[in-house]
Amino acid sequence: MVKPDEDEHGSGPSQKQEAAGNSAIRNNTVNSKKTQSAAQLAAKRARGSQQQKQNSEYIETESGNRISRKSAIQGSRYIVLGGKSLIEHNAVLRGDLHRPDSNGPVIAIGRYTILGAKCSITPPLKSETRYPVKIGSYVHIGENTSIQAASIGSHVYIGNNCDIGKFAIIKEAVVIEDNTVIPPFTVISSFSKVSGSPAKLVEELPESADDVIELYTRRLYAGIDVGILPFLEAD
Amino acid sequence: MSPPEWRSKVRIFCACQVLQENPAPNNTDESDAPYGHIPSTLMKPWALHKLEYLYFCDHCKSTKCKQCVTQEVISRFCPSCLYEVTESSARASSNKCLRNCLQCPECGSSVVASSEGDTYKLNCNYCSWKNDPKLKLNKKVAIGLQVFNLYKENEGSYSRFEQIRGSVNSSLPKPVTSSLTTFRMNTNTKQHFEPFPEPIIRVIGSTDAHEIVLPKLVELRGKTSKRCKVCRRSLTKPDPRPSSIKFRNKSLAFNFLPSLFIEKPKNVPSIQNPLVTSSITSGQTFMLTITNSLPSKIQLNISTSQSLVTLIAPQVEIGPNSDSWDEESLIQAVPFSHISRQTNVTRRVFMEKERPNPSSTMSGIHDKGPNWVTVPIEISTLNGNIDTSLDIPLFLSISYEESVDEVEHVTKPSSSKLVRIGVWYVLTIHGLDGIIANNPEDL
Ligand SMILES: [Zn+2]
Ligand SMILES: [Zn+2]
Ligand SMILES: [Zn+2]
Ligand SMILES: [Zn+2]
């Protein structure tokens, strides 16, 4: 069931999760060139011109990140994207808020992560020092949501207009409903669906949660109209 | 006035309650004849489930819901510090975390402890709650344990203060644990726990009666494995470690049963099928997309008990699900009407797509892909009398070849058997009146 070329054709549920860890992310910065065969490059150039026009809203990087030209990525040197992520217009990534004494990434994002319009990712501040934000793979961040978390695991859905407080830890397979406030330093454990201000556990998610969220983010990246996440659909 | 918003939902019927009421010797004929076999509980909300919430027993070849599985707690952990707790410790602590995890008694958010002299000061991360200075915490003992002991010591005297608490706390929100109770461990473990007192205590050793509000302790959560109640086979078994989301096995309906999706009619004449155009005046044609989740091709026989609905293609064959989640496969796995953002890959898939040939159009199939078909479904409007919502029970009889790879069959590795599954789906369409009203020329 798994295609051999995992990187280009990530296949099956959760196959590559570990590989999307830090070291893998590091090798795929926004500006990095991935090795590509000459034939692939030539084919790409040939198709390039007319697609550039149709696709002009987004820039596609070598590692498949689709980034809105209207997004606000600051300090891209300090941001690493694992590839195949989608960054919508007016999404703000504050890579510029890094530690002056460190060249390490201050925002690290895995693969197939969707950053909705007008969301913001800000490294959290403690005693005048900025700390890194780590976001896993298959993560959906809704419109207008602000993130100051320490970490967000893989297979996580965060709705619109949420506020994820500083140093919060969101584990894997979590759903956060629209308009939720996660207070600072809060830990949300796996298979939780939370809602409200402050966030309360409203449901324990079924065992399908990680697969369903992964499929949802992969489809969103591919341009498929995904509708509402099944765990958020009214009864 | 804007028409009501169009919405649709799909639920799957779990037959467990029916089988319990009148346990048939076997349910083999169920996949053949839906009429006359319409379960009495078909439209009961508790019997209908979203596909993502159902299990599937591959041995019994049937769906399993929360009501027809047995659960077993395989590990217990604190959702805040993520430490695993043994069963006996969980019992001794009334299912609470006794480490340094606390919750605000007012808003339920986590509480942070910071060092202040020879004690800790507690502050809510969300609201302005902080501990009463009379609450002295020893820095050498876990805070959770100290708070737990305070609750225990005050259990007897607590009832006397209930009335005071009632008057003081009446404006407060309900304790956060109320939303948690539904998934406190499972029932057979739960019965060992006594009810936990409210967070108002009398200060120990204090001469005048003085109540202070204690922070709440964090309720432990459990990881559970699920078994089929009928054949006892394991359906899901999670890795017991609190931070892991891995499973040793996971048998979910999501990976077995077809998924259904219904779309509202487009203004363009939907199909070039004489069968349909002849009857379009009596109703609206919707598009039903059925996606196969199995790795083998399936034969589908669809029927409905809803008299307002006509299925144009009641028999279809659907190709296997590739199980590949790369971009191209995912785009091929949906109709083009589901593409909302064009990319290089969507354009390439569109260019390379095989168009359905006229013979398949004649068979009533509107469109198809590697593991899906779109078929028209016609909803009659009963001379203009339209309800706002309509339930459409659909019986799907699914048959497919399953390879038999048991040890006895080593000599015949390619042997396979025919499997038949019968499942009721209930499609609900809301805002039907809005659609009909919007397309008066179609009526
Ligand atoms: Zn059931
Ligand atoms: Zn704890
Ligand atoms: Zn509080
Ligand atoms: Zn079974």
Side-chain angles (χ1 to χ4, degrees):
Chain A
M1 66 173 259
V2 180
K3 286 193 180 176
D5 186 1
E6 266 286 321
D7 197 36
E8 283 305 305
H9 308 279
S11 53
S14 317
Q15 295 297 331
K16 258 294 203 201
Q17 217 177 295
E18 266 91 30
N22 248 347
S23 61
I25 291 172
R26 229 167 257 255
N27 296 329
N28 282 311
T29 58
V30 181
N31 303 314
S32 84
K33 293 271 177 284
K34 267 183 66 186
T35 46
Q36 237 175 349
S37 74
Q40 275 177 302
L41 280 172
K44 199 168 183 175
R45 258 183 237 118
R47 282 178 308 202
S49 56
Q50 93 267 15
Q51 274 157 12
Q52 211 67 50
K53 222 174 280 169
Q54 292 164 302
N55 241 350
S56 57
E57 256 186 274
Y58 296 88
I59 300 164
E60 184 157 342
T61 69
E62 294 291 330
S63 54
N65 294 304
R66 292 177 181 150
I67 301 171
S68 163
R69 291 180 191 276
K70 289 182 193 148
S71 66
I73 298 180
Q74 294 155 47
S76 61
R77 269 189 66 193
Y78 302 94
I79 299 172
V80 286
L81 299 174
K84 307 218 176 222
S85 282
L86 178 63
I87 302 181
E88 293 288 4
H89 65 89
N90 299 326
V92 179
L93 280 83
R94 298 297 306 271
D96 56 320
L97 299 177
H98 62 100
R99 295 189 205 190
D101 57 332
S102 161
N103 281 325
V106 75
I107 298 175
I109 296 176
R111 305 168 82 235
Y112 292 100
T113 285
I114 316 299
L115 305 183
K118 293 172 273 168
C119 77
S120 70
I121 307 209
T122 313
L125 183 70
K126 188 159 71 184
S127 327
E128 290 175 19
T129 306
R130 293 283 171 181
Y131 287 81
V133 185
K134 198 183 165 215
I135 298 176
S137 296
Y138 320 113
V139 175
H140 174 277
I141 294 171
E143 293 183 14
N144 269 316
T145 283
S146 102
I147 309 271
Q148 290 196 64
S151 73
I152 295 173
S154 293
H155 306 96
V156 169
Y157 179 97
I158 302 176
N160 300 335
N161 309 309
C162 292
D163 180 359
I164 313 298
K166 62 179 186 173
F167 298 102
I169 296 173
I170 315 294
K171 302 296 288 181
E172 292 176 272
V174 167
V175 172
I176 299 175
E177 286 189 10
D178 289 351
N179 312 311
T180 296
V181 175
I182 308 276
F185 303 100
T186 304
V187 177
I188 306 290
S189 61
S190 295
F191 295 103
S192 300
K193 180 172 115 179
V194 299
S195 179
S197 173
K200 299 247 159 66
L201 184 59
V202 289
E203 184 192 322
E204 190 173 30
L205 293 171
E207 290 86 340
S208 64
D210 55 332
D211 292 344
V212 170
I213 294 169
E214 176 170 341
L215 204 49
Y216 188 89
T217 56
R218 281 179 179 270
R219 283 182 175 151
L220 260 180
Y221 171 79
I224 298 168
D225 181 2
V226 286
I228 189 164
L229 187 75
F231 309 122
L232 296 171
E233 206 185 300
D235 279 318
Chain B
M1 207 181 89
S2 64
E5 206 189 322
W6 144 268
R7 262 181 318 123
S8 71
K9 65 178 186 184
V10 180
R11 295 292 182 274
I12 295 167
F13 174 73
C14 185
C16 56
Q17 306 293 322
V18 185
L19 296 175
Q20 255 172 29
E21 279 161 24
N22 41 1
N26 57 51
N27 58 353
T28 45
D29 59 337
E30 198 188 315
S31 47
D32 296 325
Y35 301 115
H37 282 87
I38 299 169
S40 55
T41 53
L42 181 60
M43 298 310 297
K44 297 276 186 273
W46 46 261
L48 294 173
H49 310 269
K50 293 178 200 168
L51 179 62
E52 294 77 10
Y53 285 77
L54 281 174
Y55 306 96
F56 190 85
C57 180
D58 202 15
H59 182 256
C60 301
K61 299 284 183 226
S62 67
T63 58
K64 297 288 155 188
C65 68
K66 272 207 164 141
Q67 293 142 56
C68 59
V69 297
T70 53
Q71 298 190 40
E72 190 194 344
V73 178
I74 62 156
S75 68
R76 295 145 187 87
F77 65 97
C78 167
S80 184
C81 64
L82 303 171
Y83 261 73
E84 195 174 336
V85 178
T86 63
E87 188 180 354
S88 54
S89 305
R91 196 168 297 159
S93 70
S94 300
N95 214 23
K96 308 284 187 215
C97 175
L98 301 188
R99 291 165 54 83
N100 293 319
C101 304
L102 298 171
Q103 281 174 344
C104 172
E106 304 215 355
C107 76
S109 298
S110 60
V111 161
V112 221
S114 47
S115 188
E116 194 179 58
D118 58 350
T119 186
Y120 287 116
K121 132 185 124 168
L122 307 176
N123 282 288
C124 173
N125 274 326
Y126 181 80
C127 73
S128 56
W129 183 85
K130 49 182 185 292
N131 66 299
D132 191 307
K134 286 197 170 68
L135 176 67
K136 294 288 180 205
L137 294 164
N138 183 337
K139 285 169 87 171
K140 292 196 177 80
V141 183
I143 307 171
L145 179 59
Q146 294 182 63
V147 172
F148 178 77
N149 287 334
L150 287 172
Y151 274 119
K152 284 283 156 194
E153 284 161 23
N154 283 272
E155 224 165 349
S157 57
Y158 140 80
S159 53
R160 277 185 273 142
F161 291 93
E162 208 169 22
Q163 216 162 354
I164 303 165
R165 180 198 60 85
S167 59
V168 172
N169 277 11
S170 57
S171 60
L172 296 179
K174 273 170 76 185
V176 66
T177 43
S178 62
S179 64
L180 282 160
T181 43
T182 47
F183 28 83
R184 277 187 179 190
M185 315 306 270
N186 75 349
T187 42
N188 50 9
T189 324
K190 194 179 161 182
Q191 66 200 23
H192 300 291
F193 302 129
E194 311 117 50
F196 210 73
E198 289 295 306
I200 300 282
I201 65 152
R202 180 180 200 159
V203 178
I204 317 299
S206 159
T207 44
D208 58 320
H210 176 87
E211 304 84 46
I212 61 168
V213 180
L214 284 178
K216 294 161 77 87
L217 293 159
V218 175
E219 185 108 10
L220 300 178
R221 264 173 80 171
K223 281 198 172 197
T224 57
S225 63
K226 272 99 182 170
R227 276 176 193 284
C228 171
K229 256 185 195 170
V230 176
C231 72
R232 305 289 305 151
R233 278 176 175 79
S234 174
L235 298 172
T236 62
K237 192 171 167 82
D239 181 332
R241 289 171 298 170
S243 278
S244 170
I245 60 160
K246 292 195 170 74
F247 285 82
R248 302 229 176 107
N249 60 299
K250 202 149 83 153
S251 190
L252 307 176
F254 173 65
N255 299 120
F256 284 88
L257 298 182
S259 63
L260 263 51
F261 182 84
I262 190 161
E263 275 171 291
K264 65 178 165 189
K266 301 252 153 56
N267 283 335
V268 291
S270 45
I271 26 182
Q272 303 80 21
N273 184 342
L275 275 173
V276 181
T277 40
S278 62
S279 54
I280 202 154
T281 44
S282 64
Q284 278 288 335
T285 305
F286 289 70
M287 289 300 158
L288 178 69
T289 298
I290 308 162
T291 308
N292 182 11
S293 308
L294 287 166
S296 36
K297 89 174 175 211
I298 58 171
Q299 307 288 335
L300 258 193
N301 213 324
I302 317 163
S303 44
T304 180
S305 57
Q306 171 56 264
S307 57
L308 297 178
V309 168
T310 310
L311 294 152
I312 308 300
Q315 276 177 28
V316 286
E317 182 182 284
I318 311 179
N321 176 17
S322 74
D323 215 6
S324 184
W325 285 7
D326 65 275
E327 195 177 351
E328 200 170 314
S329 306
L330 292 176
I331 293 166
Q332 285 166 347
V334 296
F336 282 116
S337 57
H338 295 202
I339 303 293
S340 55
R341 188 168 40 80
Q342 295 290 327
T343 67
N344 298 344
V345 189
T346 59
R347 278 186 284 266
R348 190 173 69 235
V349 172
F350 185 77
M351 300 289 277
E352 290 165 3
K353 186 184 176 353
E354 260 180 67
R355 306 285 167 224
N357 57 37
S359 67
S360 70
T361 310
M362 282 309 289
S363 69
I365 291 171
H366 175 68
D367 195 4
K368 64 191 270 190
N371 67 325
W372 55 271
V373 294
T374 301
V375 293
I377 128 169
E378 207 188 293
I379 300 176
S380 123
T381 52
L382 273 185
N383 306 322
N385 289 331
I386 317 147
D387 267 328
T388 51
S389 76
L390 181 70
D391 291 318
I392 307 170
L394 293 174
F395 184 77
L396 269 65
S397 170
I398 308 154
S399 51
Y400 61 96
E401 295 275 326
E402 188 182 61
S403 63
V404 184
D405 44 47
E406 285 163 67
V407 193
E408 299 84 31
H409 293 84
V410 165
T411 47
K412 284 197 296 169
S414 60
S415 81
S416 63
K417 63 171 185 205
L418 185 73
V419 178
R420 293 182 94 170
I421 310 169
V423 192
W424 280 98
Y425 285 64
V426 177
L427 263 167
T428 305
I429 301 175
H430 297 277
L432 199 57
D433 46 346
I435 290 165
I436 308 289
N438 264 351
N439 300 282
E441 70 277 14
D442 288 346
L443 283 172

